[in-house]
Structures are given as structure tokens and as C-alpha cells.
Amino acid sequence: RGIRVGYTPDVLTDATAELSVALLLSACRRLPEAMEQVKNGGWTTWKPLWMCGYGLSDSTVGIIGLGRIGQAIARRLKPFGVKKFLYTGSRPRPESAAEFGAEFVSLTRLAEESDFVVVSCALTPATQGMCNKDFFSKMKKTSVFVNTSRGAVVNQEDLYEALVHRQIAVAGLDVTTPEPLPTDHPLLSLKNCVILPHIGSATYATRSTMAVLAANNLLAGLRGEPMPQELLL
């Protein structure tokens, strides 16, 4: 129909990567649960294993989708002392992976060997429901699962079962299906699941940059000029 489309790529890469790391740390170190213990009087005397979680040092991190955001996440996690990075996707990305010494592996191997799994891939017919019962059954019982891509990449019923039966240790989600997630959703009843309201790009600077770029796309389109960021169909 001759409708031109402007969009805002790259703008939210850093903000989403930062949020992914924050969510991973919140989940693996049980921060929301620990904060609740402070508020409800659960914090009493010191106990050896109370509020213990999982650390990144000497761990293996598996990244599903080593695109711009996946690379930005790996770049931020590397200084935590991660021992090994694995990644999977539609194809190997040797030039991008070289920075982290990341190894391209199958989805199965990534699930089996990773202590932390971070999903940052695009939602496509190939990735829809990819993280399902079969995937979670291959993960370690001590593993941490984080999704900041799209909710539909994960089968949420299967994730719930995996968390309830301790097939995996903990999950952190910034994206769900649907959004907003109903307040009576079973995942919200679990202590070992941290869910955020899709705030990956929610920094003042990022949202301002997005707005300015969207406005400039619109103005260029109205003038019949090339947009700063135009989706060429």
C-alpha cells in the first residue's frame, strides 16, 4: 500500500543489557525474597545457608541469540569472572563471539552445560515456544534462566512446572505472555521466579532518544525524505 515504516533500532541495546544483568543478579541472589524477609521479620540471627543463591564466578553462561543485545549482555557479564560463554542461534557469529571466547553450540548442549541461560533472541516461528519442557529438563537443577527477549519464546506452563519441581533453580522474566501478566498467574506465586513488567528499555535517556528518533522519522516521512531509520520492505 506504499506505507513507509520508521523504527528505532539499536537505541535500547545498552539499557536492555543492563536490565538483563540486573534481573539475572536479582534472581540468582534472591534479592526480592531477601528484601521481603527484611520487611516481614524473617531476618533474625545469622544462619549458614540462609538466603544463599548462585554466583557468576567460574560459571558457564549460555546466551540464546548473540545479536546486539546478546553481545552487550556478555560484555557486561564477563568482568564477573564467568569461566565460559556458550551461544546458539540461527548461525555462528565467529567475529562477534571472539570478544568473549564464546563457543557456538546446539540448543541441547547449551541447556546441559550452562549455569545461567539468558534468552535474547528474536521471536520467530523457529524460536516460538523454544524454551519448553524438553529444554528445561536438560538444564541443571542449579541453573538460572533469564528471558528479556519476548514472552512467547518460553512455554510458561512448562517453566512453571520446571520451577515447582525444581528441575531448575530460579527464573527471571522481563517479558511474559500475555502482557500485563494476570495478577493471579501461577508464576507469580513462586518465590523462585522474579518477574518484571517489561522495563528493558526503561531509562530516561533511552526513552528520550527513542522519542526523538521516532519524531524525526515521522517528519522526514511527511517531507518525502529518507527517514533516519526506515524499514525497507
Side-chain angles (χ1 to χ4, degrees), residues 179-221:
E179 293 182 355
L181 194 67
T183 55
D184 60 352
H185 194 282
L187 282 172
L188 293 173
S189 68
L190 302 179
K191 289 184 177 181
N192 60 337
C193 188
V194 179
I195 301 179
L196 303 178
H198 203 151
I199 56 170
S201 66
T203 69
Y204 291 111
T206 298
R207 293 287 172 85
S208 295
T209 303
M210 290 171 71
V212 170
L213 180 52
N216 286 332
N217 283 339
L218 176 61
L219 292 170

Side-chain angles (χ1 to χ4, degrees), residues 20-202:
S20 299
V21 174
L23 179 56
L24 185 151
L25 292 171
S26 293
C28 74
R29 294 299 301 269
R30 303 169 65 181
L31 300 192
E33 189 180 350
M35 291 167 64
E36 189 60 32
Q37 290 294 310
V38 174
K39 294 177 182 178
N40 66 20
W43 182 15
T44 56
T45 58
W46 183 86
K47 297 178 281 291
L49 298 180
W50 186 67
M51 284 290 106
C52 282
Y54 301 93
L56 280 159
S57 182
D58 291 323
S59 69
T60 296
V61 173
I63 299 177
I64 300 177
L66 197 67
R68 289 188 299 267
I69 294 174
Q71 292 169 48
I73 292 170
R75 198 168 292 121
R76 286 160 173 76
L77 290 178
K78 189 175 181 180
F80 282 89
V82 173
K83 179 174 65 177
K84 187 175 185 180
F85 285 99
L86 304 175
Y87 75 101
T88 192
S90 57
R91 59 182 172 82
R93 295 174 175 264
E95 293 182 0
S96 301
E99 179 182 349
F100 322 105
E103 182 182 355
F104 182 74
V105 297
S106 67
L107 185 65
T108 294
R109 186 176 160 200
L110 184 142
E112 292 172 344
E113 297 185 14
S114 298
D115 299 298
F116 298 86
V117 172
V118 183
V119 185
S120 59
C121 61
L123 175 61
T124 68
T127 62
Q128 185 161 0
M130 178 174 60
C131 299
N132 54 22
K133 181 178 181 179
D134 181 62
F135 178 82
F136 295 126
S137 69
K138 291 180 171 65
M139 289 176 65
K140 301 177 182 180
K141 293 186 182 299
T142 55
S143 58
V144 177
F145 176 83
V146 173
N147 183 21
T148 54
S149 61
R150 288 292 182 267
V153 173
V154 177
N155 183 312
Q156 289 180 171
E157 290 73 23
D158 291 350
L159 175 60
Y160 174 80
E161 293 298 324
L163 290 166
V164 166
H165 296 106
R166 298 287 175 172
Q167 287 180 310
I168 66 174
V170 61
L173 309 174
D174 186 42
V175 289
T176 60
T177 305
E179 293 182 355
L181 194 67
T183 55
D184 60 352
H185 194 282
L187 282 172
L188 293 173
S189 68
L190 302 179
K191 289 184 177 181
N192 60 337
C193 188
V194 179
I195 301 179
L196 303 178
H198 203 151
I199 56 170
S201 66

